[in-house]
Amino acid sequence: MEKLTICLLLLLFSLSFFSIADGGSIGVNYGRVANNLPSAVKAVALLKSQGVERVKVYDTDPAVLKALSGSGIKVTVNLPNELLYNAAKRQSFAYSWVQRNVAAYYPSTQIESIAVGNEVFVDPHNTTRFLVPAMKNIHEALLKYNFHDKIKVSSPVALSALQNSYPSSAGSFRSELIEPVIKPMMDFLRQTGSYLMVNCYPFFAYESNSDVISLDYALFRENPGVVDAGNGLRYFSLFDAQVDAVFAALSALKYDDIKMVVTETGWPSKGDDIEVGASVDNAAAYNGNLVRRILTGGGTPLRPKEDITVFLFALFNENKKPGPTSERNFGLFYPNERKVYDIPLNMEGLKHYIDRQSPVAGGERMQKGGKGNVSPSVPGQTWCVASGEAGKDNLQAALDFACGEGGADCRSIQPGSTCYNPNTLEAHASYAFNSYYQKKGRAMGSCYFGGAAYIVHQQPKYGNCELPTED
């Protein structure tokens, strides 16, 4: 009997250890908006050397899918936004796309999911109405090949899809999206046993509100926590609060059974002077502590038993990404395959991981790109402006969206109005982007526009026109 008791105790211990080791899962986004990256074969070898089990790509490049063949790495591929119309309107196109980009590689390349589009609701080309029909047609194509039980279909949404995100318990989807696309998409996910893909960046929330959000809270470091007045739950990380805002939005529409995968999250290692918190130390802390948080198991305060799969953004720094400096510095590795900072990406590496918190002089943290000595912003005062590096076509498309579907107040930039001059695309786009941003209550993700915009903390002025704000 004593031996039996010992065996049972050992079994229970092993099971408890397994449950810890088998918590959530970490993947990495492999973006390639750059002209100096190593070959796909070298990139896959790098992923394997780091013990990465999952990778997400933004297309179906044959060189990448061939390099992943036989690697044992699970793959999420992407049908780009520009193909949504064809995929939605023509079942034959969906069949052909799946044949060329999935069936041709599977199962040697372990494709586990297809991301149909990416952050479609903020796509300036107004592709939202094609999303669910495209998802359904791609799923029908998978049925033809009998892949439907093995490969899931979903679509990554940005947090800007939420009308409310604070407090988490008040999480809700934008009202104009609910009937046309949110409910049909959730019904599809439920019927096919799939999950919601969400892109979640606490960095952007911290950058915009560093005067009221604790850096320790944003970086998973020790902090007193924040109590959600709506449900009484205490949050110790901004990431958990953002994820639970999405779960609350799902619950509000009676989709409590829909699971979630965080398809993008990360923190930049470098930024412009105005980009609060972008630094190597903070990036290492966020991503390293996030890996520990996910791999050691346990869900969020709202869903404590739900382990989450998270994809870090990104594998490499990408030198051709438009926008502020941070956009080109989200990588875990430089293009020469050297680590930007040293963090683990698997359970084995976690055994020796320590968050090496930088010394803090006088109780004040270094901010704005890690350079310090920057005056704090006035609480709540932020503006959204156009990026001159986004390119004329991208800016024009984003401006058209903001003044059209986005509902920005663009009357002041019409000929003869107060902010028509200077008559430049960047000035007009900045006015429209800021109007949209302020109307959305400066919500997380509402100053993005496909990378064509970024947040500033000093009131911008174009000629005699100052961009307004709302208190």
Side-chain angles (χ1 to χ4, degrees), residues 390-450:
K392 181 180 177 181
D393 291 344
N394 290 336
L395 277 183
Q396 186 63 58
L399 172 60
D400 292 343
F401 166 79
C403 293
E405 182 184 350
D409 184 355
C410 297
R411 289 173 294 180
S412 293
I413 55 176
Q414 300 306 309
S417 296
T418 53
C419 289
Y420 178 71
N421 289 316
N423 181 20
T424 66
L425 181 57
E426 185 174 343
H428 286 186
S430 293
Y431 191 94
F433 294 174
N434 185 65
S435 172
Y436 179 91
Y437 175 64
Q438 303 298 341
K439 280 179 177 291
K440 296 297 180 183
R442 300 186 289 275
M444 292 174 289
S446 60
C447 181
Y448 181 61
F449 296 96

Side-chain angles (χ1 to χ4, degrees), residues 36-52:
N36 58 353
L37 299 183
S39 68
V41 170
K42 288 184 176 180
V44 172
L46 179 62
L47 288 167
K48 289 183 68 176
S49 73
Q50 300 301 308
V52 175

Side-chain angles (χ1 to χ4, degrees), residues 86-96 136-138 140-141:
N86 286 333
K89 294 296 184 180
R90 294 162 45 208
Q91 182 65 68
S92 60
F93 177 89
Y95 284 143
S96 176
K136 289 180 176 179
N137 282 347
I138 292 295
E140 282 298 314

Side-chain angles (χ1 to χ4, degrees), residues 56-96:
K56 176 172 158 280
V57 294
Y58 290 88
D59 52 23
T60 50
D61 186 278
V64 174
L65 295 182
K66 287 176 183 175
L68 285 162
S69 177
S71 67
I73 298 174
K74 295 180 174 66
V75 185
T76 296
V77 297
N78 177 243
L79 183 144
N81 289 358
E82 55 265 28
L83 298 182
L84 285 176
Y85 176 86
N86 286 333
K89 294 296 184 180
R90 294 162 45 208
Q91 182 65 68
S92 60
F93 177 89
Y95 284 143
S96 176

